[in-house]
Amino acid sequence: MDRELLIEIGCEEIPASWLPGLTAQIARHLDARLKDARLTPASAADGFSTPRRLAVRVAKLAERQTDFEELVTGPPVSAAFKPDGTPTPAASGFARKYGVEVEGLERTDTPKGTYLAYRVRQRGKTTVDVLADVMGGLLRDLTFPKQMRWDAYLEDGKGDLVFARPIRWLVLMYGGRVVPFVIRRTELAQGPNVQDVRSGSNTYGHRFLTTSGRAGRAIKIKTFEDYQSRLLENFVILDRAERESKIRRELEAHARKLGGRVSGMVAGQSALLQEVPDLVEYPSVIAGHIPVEFLQLPEEVLTTTMIHHQHYFPVVDDDGKLKTAFLAVTNMESEKPEIIARNSERVLTARLRDARFFWDEDRKATLESRIDRLGTILFHKKLGTMREKADRIAALASWIASVPLERPDLAAQAERAGRLCKADLATDMVRELTELQGTMGGIYAREEGQPEDVWKAIYFHYLPVGVEAEAAPSREQLGAAAITWAAVSLADKLDSVVGMFTAGERPTGSRDPLGLRRQAQGVVKILADLPELTGIDARLPLGPLLARAAEPFGGYGEASAPLLTFMADRLAYLLEQRGFDVRSVRAVLHAGIEQASPLDARRKLEALARMSGSRALLGVATLLKRVKNIAKGVVAPAALDVQTLTDAAEQALAADIALQAPIIRAAAARGDFREAFAAIAALEPAVTTFFDDVLVMAEDERLRLARLGLVATLRDLIMGIADISEIVTQG
Amino acid sequence: MTCAATANDTYCVTFQDLILKLSAFWASHGCLLQQPLDLEVGAGTSHPETLFRVLGPKPWRVGYVQPSRRPDDGRFGQNPNRLFKHHQYQVILKPSPDDVQQLYLESLEACGINARQHDIRFEEDNWESPTLGAWGIGWQVLLDGMEITQFTYFQQVGGMDLSPISCEITYGLERIAMFLQRVDNVFDLEWGGGVKYGEVRLQEEIEQSKYAFGQVDMPEAEFAALHRDLFDKYYGFTERLLASGLVWPALEHCLKCSHLFNILDSSGSIGVTERTAYILRVRQLAVRIARAHVEGPAQHVVVSEGL
């Protein structure tokens, strides 16, 4: 009969940000472990978590493993018997190993001949007998961003059991009965206060809340249903979605009562709302007030203090303006919530009072006057101080504005914004609220009367980072500052990425402590979206930008190859994230990253996506592979040898190339890749006929060279746009 | 209004009451009561009662107050929440008992905090000290949104894995006292017997902040040169102490270097590259001291059983 399996790992508070991942892990690993143990459940495991527990349940699990059967092959029959028919030592040895007579062995036919064989049959063990191993494996399988030793080990010979936080209890129940399992404590630690953790049928409710008896006492459970409802009685909501919806409901109700709404919740993308359900077992919401005097602080300062530092939700009115109220999610249901509210107000007020002090103090000195202090803040030991970085950004931003973006009139503004963009690192506000770097500099620049494009360029210069997470500021937000912003933002990121590579700091695997991937992602993103962001239709290749950024460091040096590969990966990643086909991405980036303009690449992909149904283009693509093979190493001639090319098919192809080439090149020059690909597709009949009718590798050398020249010309024409042979599906 | 004069729903806990209550609580749970380290340190962790005791296998339980200096946090007595010197109550439990969180919560109750009326949370916050080659895993404890305690399971000290694992509980005494007395300015706290925290400490804060930021009647360069010189001398002497096998005095002199470095840093006397070099030098020394302690005779001294 199928029975229920329930596991709960009772823990001290696990970091909130790990819980979603761990919930998925525990279910996935349990499924895999059960499968390995030949215990295939009727349904997949369900994972649950609260800060103090990881739980997983399988509704129906068979009582016994499936039987095991395996045919073990022994010696070949040809070597198993002596001429007199008696078994050889090889045969009798094999039989002895399995405790049978040679006569009792089977024969099995294999491609290599007939062999003696023994059929191993093993009756499945009862599930209860296997579950301890499954549990041990499961505990070993879970991985954490940072693990801790807590003087524990398992009796599996693998030593220490590291975990997220110490495990304090363990529920392991199958069909309502406890399956014995033990986590041992090391000899050095073990004593009256440090004991083995043994599986049982007790769980624990909320630390402080209870309807009867002592809070936090043991609760006996039998089934999952029982478990979930007993937990609820004891103020633990097991299901994360239920916690989230309780939070959402109460937030909205409180905000309504305050005559506003919760900021950022309309879009449903509040990172805070994503985080709080994993911080609490029994959420409830309290409302607090902000003294009105603090509303004179910049909104960014208020919201950052509330959201990042206190996990409080700001409340806004219908126009999106902050109200003098905040909402906090607590892990309590207090009879006197006003006590918690009042204390929370005091904590927030203390922080805001600090912030106001910084706001008043910081504005007494200009950003310009802070640049010297940047000389005391290290950017990187090999790359110098923030002051030096700011100087490099200024020079690079000025060049980007005047040369690649062709707006020399904006070079001075870009230079100034670049020089000032790091100055806020020397303000007290940013030292305290580091999340506000850039933003704060922009606000201070505005306050001291810097022109709009300077302060906005500073304000937004950290953006965009990553792929989509924190999108670039919109054209609307940037207004007239868009080009200056693009120059500064590109300069900052290019300087960081190129500088760090030349200093030998390269991201590896999951390690990217300096966030270079996200910065590089920002670079390719700005370049790919340049027209939408700035109104400038400049198709800037990465090569010259990288080279210019590398100049202060004496060029790339040895970093060249890894840097270019890194940038190529970033661009490919960006394009793939936008849903373009992986093969198409390879096709448009084939020429190497230095030549690649992210904007061109994006447009080529958009054109390719629109033409994905074109049989003609696919036809050319298919033949391009052959073209590339035949013309390998052949340099296309300046002009085709038309005298020698006499065959009708080759003349037709030469004529078509002559006709389409200028169209393709002109379209590409305009950035109209739809037309370029259409013109390539128009070559399809001529190319197909050519390969049907003409033997390129002709006996006659002159003819052969002429034909190779024709094929190489075709190749270069197409490859100048994209290596569309990549888009052909194998087979 | 003084504590003596308040008629609150909870009784009033002075700053010194708080220390007494925590001391009584932890003494009743097997902690030795130690005294603060009589040197300038940034945290109770630097005290040998933590730094040395968590090394090696021997069980230990101790509690003590540690005045902690953070030159960079000096605010000339003008900020209601920030101090050049604050007070930590430090508890070390080795090995960490299974019910350590419960014990901690009971200690809060013992101080007059009713957990049923507040929102007490353990939120991820790990601790790392580059200068001590040490790190641990843990939480900050939030009381209605205010950080009142740092709770750490030590994993490594002096670059060495620890076994058994110790738990360090560090209470921020001013914060907790402000919470209990419901004051918004640290200088308004009642220290004891109707005497305010400000009466005891304000002048000291003002003067120490001036010193920390180099506002001394002395040319800047001379101020810096003096502190550098002191650093080098203490550093050299620490090495001599180590070579002589005198590990405890070596730790104390290493801590002097650490404090001098903090002053050089807060007074803006050192550049950035130099700064990292200083940190590295202190770490190298601290790691050697920790190792010498583990290898030295200290581990063979038998202390009374029953801890």
Side-chain angles (χ1 to χ4, degrees), chain A residues 12-13 15 149 151 165 168 185 193 195 207 310 329 331-333 335 343 346 354 376 378 432, chain B residues 79 82 98 101 116 118-119 121 124 137-139 144-145 153 155 162 164-165 179 183-184 272:
Chain A
E12 294 182 354
E13 279 77 354
R149 291 182 303 114
D151 298 320
R165 289 292 184 276
R168 293 309 183 201
R185 309 306 296 277
N193 300 317
Q195 303 213 334
R207 270 192 202 286
Q310 293 301 130
V329 176
N331 190 33
M332 281 303 282
E333 195 170 68
E335 304 122 39
N343 287 327
R346 288 178 50 213
D354 262 3
T376 66
L378 188 66
E432 190 66 18
Chain B
N79 185 298
R82 262 182 229 244
D98 292 345
Q101 283 183 306
R116 187 63 190 76
H118 298 287
D119 186 33
R121 305 249 283 266
E124 178 190 18
I137 292 268
W139 309 276
D144 296 343
Y153 292 108
Q155 301 283 301
L162 300 181
I165 300 295
F179 180 88
V183 300
D184 293 328
V272 272

Side-chain angles (χ1 to χ4, degrees), chain A residues 82-99:
Chain A
K82 296 179 193 159
D84 64 358
T86 56
T88 58
S92 45
F94 178 69
R96 200 162 42 243
K97 192 171 161 196
Y98 291 97

Side-chain angles (χ1 to χ4, degrees), chain A residues 366-380:
Chain A
T366 60
L367 288 176
E368 189 74 49
S369 71
R370 295 183 185 278
I371 290 179
D372 277 343
R373 278 218 14 228
L374 289 181
T376 66
I377 303 171
L378 188 66
F379 171 53
H380 182 273

Side-chain angles (χ1 to χ4, degrees), chain A residues 302-429:
Chain A
L302 286 163
T303 53
T304 303
T305 306
M306 282 189 256
I307 294 172
H308 290 276
H309 290 241
Q310 293 301 130
H311 291 151
Y312 296 162
F313 290 84
V315 180
V316 294
D317 64 18
D318 290 337
D319 303 326
K321 283 189 52 131
L322 283 177
K323 293 181 76 86
T324 53
F326 67 90
L327 300 173
V329 176
T330 69
N331 190 33
M332 281 303 282
E333 195 170 68
S334 170
E335 304 122 39
K336 297 182 189 164
E338 64 280 3
I339 294 181
I340 301 175
R342 206 166 56 226
N343 287 327
S344 305
E345 282 169 7
R346 288 178 50 213
V347 179
L348 183 62
T349 304
R351 284 198 182 272
L352 291 177
R353 205 182 288 132
D354 262 3
R356 187 175 55 191
F357 175 77
F358 299 145
W359 172 244
D360 291 338
E361 285 300 304
D362 284 345
R363 284 179 303 156
K364 289 178 184 164
T366 60
L367 288 176
E368 189 74 49
S369 71
R370 295 183 185 278
I371 290 179
D372 277 343
R373 278 218 14 228
L374 289 181
T376 66
I377 303 171
L378 188 66
F379 171 53
H380 182 273
K381 57 183 186 292
K382 289 188 189 156
L383 305 174
T385 64
M386 277 294 170
R387 154 118 225 204
E388 292 165 80
K389 180 171 172 63
D391 287 343
R392 291 196 300 270
I393 297 172
L396 188 56
S398 153
W399 175 80
I400 291 173
S402 53
V403 182
L405 296 178
E406 299 177 15
R407 288 294 298 270
D409 55 315
L410 295 175
Q413 304 288 65
E415 204 273 340
R416 192 196 301 183
R419 196 161 35 95
L420 296 177
C421 71
K422 300 297 174 190
D424 64 354
L425 295 176
T427 64
D428 287 334
M429 188 76 87

